[in-house]
Amino acid sequence: MVQKYQSPVRVYKQPFELVMAAYERRFPTCPLIPMFVGSDVLSEDQSEDGCMHNVERRCKLDVDAPRLLKRIAGVDYVYFNQKNSLNRLQRTLHIVSHNETFSNRVIISEECCYSVHPENEEWTCFEQSASLDIKSFFGFESTVEKIAMKQYATSIKKGKEIIEYYLNQLEEDGISHVPRWCPDPSSPVKPLTPVVRLPELPVTPAISITAPAESASTPPDSLALVCKEGTSPPGSLNEPTVGTPDDKLDADYIKRYLGDLTPLQESCLIRLRGWLQETHKGKIPKDEHILRFLRARDFNMEKAREILCQSLTWRKQHQVDYLLETWSCPQVLHDYYTGGWHHHDKDGRPLYILRLGQMDTKGLVRALGEESLLRHVLSINEEGLRRCEENTKVFGRPISCWTCLVDLEGLNMRHLWRPGVKALLRIIEVVEANYPETLGRLLILRAPRVFPVLWTLVSPFIDENTRKKFLIYAGNDYQGPGGLVDYIDKEIIPDFLGGECMCEVPEGGLVPKSLYRTPEELENEDIRLWTETIYQSASVFKGAPHELLIEILDASSVITWDFDVCKGDVVFNIYHSKRAPQQPRKDQQAGHGITSPGGNNVQLIDKSWMLGQDYSMVESSLTCKEGESVQGSHVTRWPGFYILQWRFHSMPACAATNLPRMDDVLASLQVSSYKCKVMYYTEVLGSEDFRGSMTSLESSHSGFSQLSAATTSSSQSQSSSMISR
């Protein structure tokens, strides 16, 4: 398995030339890096005007590995080849390193770049990517990988310290300025020695690991989005930051708004963020929300990506991003739902108080239904996300979760009413799946004797990491040492808990039976909330595509679409026919539900139809991978019937044989029963109603208004507009 690493951008607030002078001082060896024994210059050349300077070195490392492993490998030192290309005119230094030792068993490569800050030419940026591929190592592949990851992470942390150490040395030597290189105006202009520039470090590269000689020397500075002073941070709700796929996360921004992350954690965040930029162009979640899903899966990027994509699809289908704007809280919840926000705890986290013991759960379920309660809880979580962002700005440190205080005084067997417990479990399931790592601490106060019964019912549905955040107090234990005052300032302890602060959380009480609704009314209301979405779901099978018919009366109309590939890979096509296809029966696949959207499969193109005679393809086929979000538009040239088709994507067989390749077989096995699932929304607009360019798709209702900042520009929109010719 190839391990990869991608750094954020490290910013030095010194000019490029001064940083280069500090960088050169770490050769031929560096006392700050004990394992860097020394280096020899293999070749060196410079252009006649001095603009270009290329150096190739052989670096010697004493890797900190078990003695037994070194004896088995038969080496005491590891050698790396490093090539530096300095362009004084463009003010860049590109560094490429790879291992010489065991190069047939282990492949280690690293690319680094020093360059001028794009917004301040007196500052210098550093970024770094690396990869490790262990093919075989005497049966110690796992051990070597762990050693490599540990040492590489250590060298990354030291990187900036080393450059700053030599910058301080320069200052002690009286060197505070190094003039920029300028061509000699008196000499004729001479062509520069051609030097191949390294490709820009991709935003999505990866998490790697063993230090090539340069990794310790070159500060593992970071790939990053740099904020101007006085502007809102990236991901701000009030002033979203416009970016491109080349957006890079700045190391200082990460520390200020996301917290202290290890180098490998930073790499996971950057890679997952880059993948989302490539596949969900338009609007992507904010960095703090991506980070929550990574933390929920212990920074396993593949697992985090899977649950994040599922959550984004869920949010999109049920318009959760607009919930705070569209959800109208019923009056019965205002009067009888005993929960509300109340200042913040000692760590600056928003504090939510729930007087569960005073809540008539049976009455609320009978009066509102399960789905209305769920929507209300979702609105509370959305408000919590907003408050976390506000507190991050107010307190000047990252705050990504909140504290919940649950008062159980009054809890009795009435609260164990089966439909009420079922509704509670449903809420826990949805919140756990879509709001991971948002609960910083849960304080459970005045737990009565019946509490263990309730805890036995709900605890299996709560993630283990979440359960570790629970603090449970029986009786008045919360008033003593180690109690409430350890987590909440005395001045804001609610009055009903013995404090002096007035709390506006409703006191609850029994919901009048006159407000109860019949089971039929509740069921109809639940169905309405389930299906209250502009998106439709469809299943796509091998040999059974899903097709959607759109009749166009006026030429030059605009067909727009927005779809997510929830499962499997599909091929998207658009066809035109002058005659209407016969409508077949719909094959319903599953029931509707807020966490498990249903789907259907409709086929319109008759098997007797011939492409080119009965119907024609008006756009090139578009292959869409699982997890991708696609928006687009098509300007119709003729009236008639247009068919949007999602077809199962079959892996091509090997060109040299009719047998499928092993990779293809494994990939096909990942799609259970050859089934794919898509969620889509389409709209037809008159050409005069289509706003903006063909790459803006402003009519689309999708996006992540609450969770994301805008991340598209007109030239890089995922809309990938299609115009027939």
Side-chain angles (χ1 to χ4, degrees), residues 30 109 116 165 178 367 415 485 520 540 550 676 695:
C30 177
S109 60
V116 178
Y165 170 81
V178 176
H415 292 85
V485 291
E520 291 77 15
V540 179
I550 298 177
C676 302
T695 58

Side-chain angles (χ1 to χ4, degrees), residues 3-20:
Q3 296 282 359
K4 297 182 178 179
Y5 169 80
Q6 177 65 59
S7 74
V9 168
R10 186 80 64 194
V11 178
Y12 298 96
K13 296 184 178 180
Q14 287 89 11
F16 175 80
E17 290 72 21
L18 193 63
V19 173
M20 289 298 97

